[in-house]
Amino acid sequence: MKTFVEVDHVDRVFDIPNGGKYIALKNIELKIRQGEFISLLGHSGCGKSTLLNIIAGLDKATVGGVTLEGREVKEPGPDRMVVFQNYSLLPWLTVRENIALAVDEVFKDKPKGERRSIVEEHIDMVGLRHAAKKRPSELSGGMKQRVAIARALAIRPKLLLLDEPFGALDALTRGSLQEQLMKICNQHNVTCVMVTHDVDEALFLSDRIVMLTNGPEAHIGQILEVPIPRPRQRLEVVNHPSYYRLRNEMIYFLNQQKLLKKRKAAQIPASTLTVSGTLEKIHLEIGFMPLTDAAPLIVAKEKGFFANYGLETVILNRADNWTEIATGVAAGKLDAAQMLAGMPLALTLGAGGKTPIPVVNALNLSRNSNAITLSKKLYSEGVRTPEKLKATIKAYPDRILTLGIAHPTAMQNLILRYWLAAGGIDPDRDISLAVIPPTQMVKQLKAGIIDGYCAGEPWNYLAVRENAGFVAATALEIWPGQPKKVLGVREDWAQKHPKTYVALVKALLEACKYCDDLRNREEIVELICRPQYLDIDPACVRPGFIAPYDRGDGMPPQNLTTYHQFYLHQTNCPNRTELLWMVTQMARWGLVPFPKNWVEVIERVCRTDVFGAAARDLGLLDIEQDDPIHLFDGKVFNPSQPIEYLQSLEIKRQIRIEEVFI
Amino acid sequence: MQIINQTHSQTKSNQLQTQKAENFLEIKGVSKIYPTSDGPYTVLEEVNLQVREGEFVCIIGHSGCGKSTLLNMVSGLNKPTEGVICLQGQPIAEPGPERMMVFQNYCLLPWLSVFDNVYLAVDSVFPKKTQAQKRAIVKEHLAMVGLAEAADKKPHQISGGMKQRVAIARALAIRPQVLILDEPFGALDAITKEELQEELLQIWCNHQVTVLMITHDIDEALFLADTIVMMTNGPAAKIGEVLKIPFSRPRNRRRIMEDPQYYDLRNYALDFLYRRCPHSEE
């Protein structure tokens, strides 16, 4: 797709009288093709007009910017014309004079006759020849808007921007004007961006509908492609098989936003929280599992980052398994915990038939550092890839292989299943999966109870060291940058302790940054191996963390610099696309129904607002990655069409699509 | 034998009741003609409509089709040139408190508080009630539209949605038999509009009031109405078609929209308004 207009990571922040900031738009990223018709849809106050004004050059982005044909938009110009709801015609000029005024101003260098013919051409274009001598007061609302459109088009803009152009007209008068606008746009190949809150208008006119979430921190929630062929006829489009499906999807989106708006109204916006003031709670209990990537928590405590941000005592509670972590947070025994990346979602959705408990994520603590370990026996049978594994399974039909996972909601479970399915292995039918605490993995592999597992470190390297297995694939090969651990807190805890939450995220964010400075790694190894934390020989932790990583496959040890990723490459910002992918995978394997209200679910779990408030306070980048998912099999995930994606997967369980009430 | 007789008499009384209710509001052969310098101008021609007691009727049509003229005649603000409009058999000759009108632009007195705006209406219709009784009526109706806490605010201090709630509370406080709404939610944003539609249905249901409402919004009409009256274009506009809306009550917006009938009805109405009676602006 050749980009004509790019809205490049735009933020718009307003100062408010009490000295605070209001973040109207957050991280808007949009590429528009030449000749495309885009609608911006959202509830009032979602910042859609602000965005349009930024594209027009009437307003400036606080962060990021807009380019038109590769050149930055800095001010209003005749290449971008705006049509407003209130027409903005000069009342003392006739229709012809109103249009001529603009043409004469922009085409000063053209001969008079040519300017005159441009004016007449555009009067005809909108069918106002009979009214050319009338003044605005003699025209109906619809006619006035046609003059405004003719005036905008007469100066041949590259981009036509429309701000609720038909909003002042009644629903029935709009129809014929929409038809005229569309005809003109098609004939002249005009690129359009239109703000509207009318779903039928958006569907009728657009190639793509960009739906914005509510402010503050409004962002693109979903983009709908409208596959209805052109030219379109008003009465025919409603009979197109996808019309009412798309319309319902838009209405559903708007309704979800309505619910979120009501809920948000009861909350304090995160962006106003960092302005000093005492913390609600300064003694915290945080759960963790003894894994290498618990490093940020341990560092934050041992290096005094918690204390620096006013969290006077933080007790790190070591858990034996992930269920303990999940129930600790769910029951309110823990203020927060290091969680598996999918855990906040699973708890919020009530995976496994449990009561949904909303748990939120404002910080990713680590990425990668997962691997698939298989037994030496499978190695000797030549297994290296999932395809080879499938061949072995076929060759020994009586043998049922068992693979271990730490927890159903672990990224490892999703990744292992994905890896197997990509090789044609049904993880529920062709093999057996068992939930085993990570600390038991090596022991069971050695004893021949399991034939492999997917786990975090140091458990893969330990199998290599004990000569029980080899690493068939690391996270870096399956999906480099995959989320691993996150900070999970209950949503009601977050609401009750908004300032504490931001302070906690700040302390851990600093710790994450500290952990990714390789100069600190020696020190960190010493810290995390202490008896109260991992309680392990540092030699087990070093490979992949600080020393070359031996996969036990006969190859020389590799330097995996990003195998343990704590901060670099936008590690920390929770990412909606990633969360949505995880939901699709959980639904794929029947762990949860796919939530029909997925936009709402993701918005609630993914607290980029809290992350942003913390990151900005530390002077760090406060946005998520645009395109985070790159799986080894190359399958594309379009976050606007998760259900289509799910349906396109071959090996899967029966997919249930249900509304999840949380 | 006795049982059969009983059933028979019940059916008979039901029939009687239904009959009475069917003719609650009758528009019979109504035309409206204005004299102009170019000769007589017919706005409405030969309009006939029967409204049941407690029915919710939406009237839809392009601007200029005479919808407002028709409702103004029901409210008594205007008189038919030909024909007659009867409420419970009595011809309507002038405005009266049994028929209350709510306009799109709220029509609140800006110098009076929300409470006093409603009180003014109650006071003029129920002059014999005590002050305490009248205040109780006002309070009850403000609470009904969720405005108990905004009672002391002036109109300029409240949102458009709230103003329209005041107007509805004021109309209902004088216990009309017919509530006439002239595009009441046209000026409101989508969220507020949906909220008010739901509130209106709730109130309609609790008060058993008969509603005539003008709208341009097909979805609004489909959600609210028992009957949608679609008007042809003027001059000489008439009733083009009457759609009966079969969705059961109480209605749930989402469930209705998931009903395949919804789209058939919607497309049918669209077809009427855009193909069979398209609007020509000039």
Side-chain angles (χ1 to χ4, degrees):
Chain A
M1 177 177 106
K2 199 165 169 282
T3 304
F4 184 65
V5 178
E6 177 168 10
V7 180
D8 186 4
H9 300 94
V10 161
D11 287 6
R12 182 67 176 100
V13 183
F14 295 100
D15 291 319
I16 44 180
N18 69 8
K21 305 252 182 226
Y22 180 83
I23 304 174
L25 295 170
K26 184 73 204 161
N27 198 27
I28 307 283
E29 168 66 26
L30 181 67
K31 294 189 174 80
I32 302 169
R33 287 188 304 271
Q34 181 152 27
E36 199 174 13
F37 198 114
I38 299 276
S39 286
L40 303 175
L41 184 84
H43 287 303
S44 42
C46 75
K48 47 194 193 307
S49 294
T50 306
L51 180 57
L52 195 81
N53 287 341
I54 291 172
I55 300 174
L58 295 168
D59 191 5
K60 255 187 97 63
T62 312
V63 177
V66 175
T67 57
L68 172 62
E69 292 187 306
R71 296 172 68 168
E72 193 185 348
V73 169
K74 288 181 178 156
E75 55 191 3
D79 53 349
R80 286 155 284 120
M81 282 306 291
V82 193
V83 173
F84 296 99
Q85 183 178 335
N86 59 3
Y87 327 122
S88 310
L89 302 177
L90 296 177
W92 60 90
L93 296 182
T94 64
V95 167
R96 180 176 283 119
E97 286 162 347
N98 262 292
I99 299 174
L101 187 71
V103 172
D104 291 342
E105 178 63 29
V106 174
F107 298 126
K108 284 192 188 95
D109 304 335
K110 287 196 198 278
K112 203 175 169 196
E114 200 176 321
R115 293 195 308 237
R116 175 84 195 198
S117 71
I118 293 173
V119 173
E120 298 308 316
E121 177 197 337
H122 286 84
I123 290 175
D124 287 335
M125 183 192 280
V126 294
L128 285 179
R129 166 110 347 247
H130 63 286
K133 284 187 190 148
K134 289 191 173 161
R135 297 216 160 76
S137 58
E138 301 169 90
L139 305 176
S140 70
M143 289 165 87
K144 279 187 247 186
Q145 198 55 290
R146 275 148 63 189
V147 181
I149 291 170
R151 180 179 57 181
L153 288 173
I155 59 172
R156 309 265 160 86
K158 290 175 180 160
L159 185 60
L160 183 63
L161 301 165
L162 305 142
D163 192 351
E164 298 210 29
F166 311 126
L169 310 173
D170 73 68
L172 299 177
T173 310
R174 273 176 226 170
S176 64
L177 274 179
Q178 289 161 359
E179 248 161 12
Q180 284 190 30
L181 173 65
M182 194 169 58
K183 220 179 272 167
I184 292 167
C185 289
N186 286 352
Q187 276 167 9
H188 296 74
N189 196 32
V190 188
T191 311
C192 284
V193 181
M194 177 180 75
V195 164
T196 183
H197 58 237
D198 179 334
V199 291
D200 294 294
E201 179 168 287
L203 263 179
F204 180 52
L205 294 171
S206 314
D207 295 304
R208 282 190 295 159
I209 298 164
V210 175
M211 299 193 279
L212 294 172
T213 64
N214 298 320
E217 305 199 27
H219 54 90
I220 296 174
Q222 196 180 352
I223 298 180
L224 283 185
E225 304 255 353
V226 184
I228 303 173
R230 295 183 188 273
R232 296 177 186 166
Q233 298 292 327
R234 167 156 301 279
L235 284 169
E236 282 164 22
V237 291
V238 297
N239 293 320
H240 189 274
S242 61
Y243 187 86
Y244 280 113
R245 178 182 62 75
L246 289 168
R247 188 173 189 273
N248 279 345
E249 212 164 321
M250 293 160 79
I251 290 171
Y252 194 77
F253 178 90
L254 292 172
N255 279 336
Q256 285 184 76
Q257 291 305 313
K258 188 163 118 181
L259 292 175
L260 282 165
K261 193 175 192 171
K262 281 186 184 157
R263 186 170 296 115
K264 257 192 194 169
Q267 286 176 17
I268 310 161
S271 55
T272 61
L273 290 174
T274 45
V275 200
S276 64
T278 48
L279 301 184
E280 302 86 359
K281 195 168 184 185
I282 50 171
H283 309 292
L284 302 181
E285 272 194 55
I286 303 177
F288 78 102
M289 281 285 283
L291 291 155
T292 310
D293 56 17
L297 291 162
I298 297 164
V299 164
K301 179 165 170 72
E302 296 296 332
K303 301 295 292 178
F305 294 132
F306 285 136
N308 286 352
Y309 291 99
L311 302 165
E312 281 178 19
T313 35
V314 173
I315 297 167
L316 294 183
N317 248 324
R318 187 168 74 183
D320 289 328
N321 55 60
W322 288 109
T323 311
E324 203 181 312
I325 295 271
T327 49
V329 170
K333 273 187 269 177
L334 297 170
D335 293 290
Q338 167 207 32
M339 283 189 174
L340 295 158
M343 209 175 241
L345 274 172
L347 289 165
T348 302
L349 292 170
K354 297 203 177 69
T355 314
I357 296 169
V359 171
V360 296
N361 170 23
L363 182 71
N364 279 14
L365 291 163
S366 65
R367 288 174 185 269
N368 301 325
S369 75
N370 275 331
I372 296 170
T373 293
L374 297 176
S375 69
K376 277 284 175 183
K377 186 161 188 297
L378 288 171
Y379 182 78
S380 65
E381 287 169 19
V383 174
R384 302 290 183 276
T385 60
E387 290 79 13
K388 276 278 172 59
L389 185 62
K390 185 178 166 86
T392 311
I393 291 168
K394 257 194 161 163
Y396 301 96
D398 294 340
R399 179 178 70 177
I400 304 286
L401 294 178
T402 302
L403 301 179
I405 49 164
H407 194 267
T409 67
M411 201 61 192
Q412 296 120 354
N413 179 31
L414 306 181
I415 285 292
L416 178 63
R417 283 169 176 270
Y418 192 93
W419 187 77
L420 292 168
I425 301 168
D426 188 317
D428 293 312
R429 288 176 189 150
D430 300 338
I431 58 150
S432 148
L433 288 177
V435 174
I436 300 166
T439 44
Q440 300 295 309
M441 296 282 190
V442 183
K443 216 184 281 174
Q444 297 208 10
L445 184 68
K446 259 176 124 174
I449 302 167
I450 55 174
D451 305 283
Y453 51 81
C454 185
E457 295 297 343
W459 310 110
N460 298 291
Y461 173 69
L462 275 180
V464 173
R465 197 172 127 114
E466 309 241 332
N467 204 27
F470 75 104
V471 173
T474 69
L476 297 175
E477 293 131 41
I478 300 168
W479 168 8
Q482 58 180 265
K484 174 86 190 296
K485 297 290 157 52
V486 301
L487 178 72
V489 305
R490 279 180 65 129
E491 189 185 54
D492 51 5
W493 187 93
Q495 270 161 28
K496 239 171 99 185
H497 309 97
K499 288 178 184 168
T500 311
Y501 193 20
V502 173
L504 179 62
V505 171
K506 272 158 76 174
L508 285 169
L509 193 47
E510 276 230 59
C512 285
K513 194 176 174 194
Y514 190 86
C515 289
D516 244 2
D517 186 336
L518 295 178
R519 291 168 300 184
N520 301 327
R521 287 276 171 102
E522 283 292 353
E523 179 197 6
I524 295 167
V525 168
E526 188 274 318
L527 287 175
I528 63 176
C529 291
R530 287 180 184 177
Q532 70 269 39
Y533 302 123
L534 272 63
D535 191 19
I536 201 173
D537 176 358
C540 304
V541 167
R542 296 173 61 86
F545 191 71
I546 192 163
Y549 187 76
D550 182 0
R551 300 172 62 135
D553 58 357
M555 303 295 280
Q558 298 168 296
N559 268 317
L560 305 177
T561 43
T562 57
Y563 190 43
H564 287 278
Q565 190 178 305
F566 297 104
Y567 173 73
L568 299 173
H569 311 299
Q570 287 164 284
T571 290
N572 306 107
C573 187
N575 191 297
R576 296 183 186 92
T577 307
E578 288 172 353
L579 284 167
L580 183 58
W581 184 84
M582 287 185 239
V583 178
T584 62
Q585 297 302 310
M586 290 185 203
R588 177 186 188 182
W589 305 118
L591 296 170
V592 296
F594 185 81
K596 192 176 171 211
N597 51 333
W598 55 273
V599 174
E600 184 198 353
V601 171
I602 305 278
E603 287 298 312
R604 278 183 75 175
V605 172
C606 190
R607 294 300 296 268
T608 46
D609 57 334
V610 174
F611 173 81
R616 282 189 298 277
D617 242 27
L618 299 175
L620 304 175
L621 189 65
D622 61 348
I623 53 174
E624 61 189 311
Q625 227 177 352
D626 292 337
D627 179 21
I629 298 178
H630 299 279
L631 279 146
F632 69 103
D633 62 348
K635 197 162 167 60
V636 176
F637 175 65
N638 175 357
S640 281
Q641 299 191 310
I643 295 170
E644 285 79 352
Y645 169 80
L646 258 176
Q647 277 155 355
S648 75
L649 298 167
E650 266 176 43
I651 300 180
K652 57 175 179 275
R653 301 287 78 82
Q654 176 83 37
I655 309 281
R656 291 172 294 146
I657 298 172
E658 286 171 16
E659 187 148 352
V660 178
F661 297 97
I662 43 173
Chain B
M1 205 49 206
Q2 220 180 351
I3 297 169
I4 293 170
N5 270 339
Q6 213 173 13
T7 320
H8 181 73
S9 63
Q10 248 176 17
T11 319
K12 209 173 166 186
S13 78
N14 277 352
Q15 269 173 352
L16 270 173
Q17 252 180 5
T18 326
Q19 240 169 23
K20 190 181 155 201
E22 287 296 340
N23 296 334
F24 184 68
L25 178 71
E26 277 187 296
I27 299 171
K28 289 190 273 196
V30 164
S31 298
K32 181 73 189 174
I33 301 159
Y34 288 107
T36 70
S37 50
D38 301 335
Y41 179 84
T42 309
V43 181
L44 288 168
E45 190 175 75
E46 191 65 21
V47 173
N48 289 290
L49 184 67
Q50 289 199 344
V51 179
R52 198 162 29 81
E53 184 166 12
E55 190 171 348
F56 199 125
V57 179
C58 280
I59 300 169
I60 194 163
H62 293 285
S63 26
C65 75
K67 307 180 290 284
S68 299
T69 308
L70 181 64
L71 290 201
N72 283 340
M73 290 189 289
V74 176
S75 71
L77 293 169
N78 206 335
K79 277 184 197 152
T81 314
E82 286 162 25
V84 66
I85 302 177
C86 296
L87 181 63
Q88 291 186 303
Q90 296 298 312
I92 291 166
E94 54 180 14
E98 77 280 8
R99 288 162 282 119
M100 277 306 291
M101 191 126 177
V102 174
F103 298 95
Q104 180 175 349
N105 57 1
Y106 326 124
C107 301
L108 303 179
L109 296 176
W111 60 90
L112 291 183
S113 69
V114 164
F115 187 94
D116 291 338
N117 261 290
V118 180
Y119 189 87
L120 186 71
V122 173
D123 191 39
S124 61
V125 176
F126 303 121
K128 288 186 188 137
K129 285 194 196 286
T130 67
Q131 205 193 16
Q133 281 173 322
K134 285 182 281 195
R135 292 185 68 86
I137 293 175
V138 175
K139 269 194 184 154
E140 177 200 334
H141 287 84
L142 285 178
M144 185 176 73
V145 295
L147 284 179
E149 276 159 35
D152 296 331
K153 295 221 159 84
K154 297 266 163 66
H156 68 90
Q157 294 171 302
I158 60 178
S159 70
M162 290 164 88
K163 281 183 218 167
Q164 198 54 285
R165 285 193 175 96
V166 180
I168 291 171
R170 180 178 56 185
L172 289 171
I174 56 176
R175 308 275 157 89
Q177 292 169 301
V178 184
L179 184 63
I180 302 165
L181 302 155
D182 191 353
E183 225 190 317
F185 309 137
L188 305 174
D189 70 273
I191 292 184
T192 315
K193 192 174 181 173
E194 288 189 359
E195 279 174 5
L196 279 181
Q197 286 167 0
E198 275 148 37
E199 279 176 30
L200 176 63
L201 271 193
Q202 194 67 46
I203 291 166
W204 168 76
C205 190
N206 295 341
H207 271 65
Q208 300 290 316
V209 64
T210 305
V211 178
L212 297 184
M213 172 167 156
I214 289 178
T215 178
H216 279 110
D217 182 336
I218 295 169
D219 295 293
E220 178 169 274
L222 283 169
F223 176 58
L224 296 174
D226 296 311
T227 305
I228 299 180
V229 173
M230 298 192 287
M231 308 277 294
T232 65
N233 289 322
K238 38 184 156 303
I239 291 176
E241 193 131 3
V242 176
L243 272 185
K244 292 285 173 194
I245 309 305
F247 307 124
S248 62
R249 310 227 184 224
R251 288 184 185 169
N252 172 311
R253 193 186 301 275
R254 274 234 323 270
R255 218 170 299 140
I256 287 179
M257 295 186 82
E258 281 162 9
D259 189 330
Q261 279 189 90
Y262 184 86
Y263 300 108
D264 294 341
L265 289 165
R266 190 174 191 276
N267 287 356
Y268 189 81
L270 280 173
D271 188 67
F272 178 88
L273 292 162
Y274 287 119
R275 197 179 57 78
R276 289 162 58 198
C277 290
H279 194 225
S280 58
E281 218 185 337
E282 287 79 50

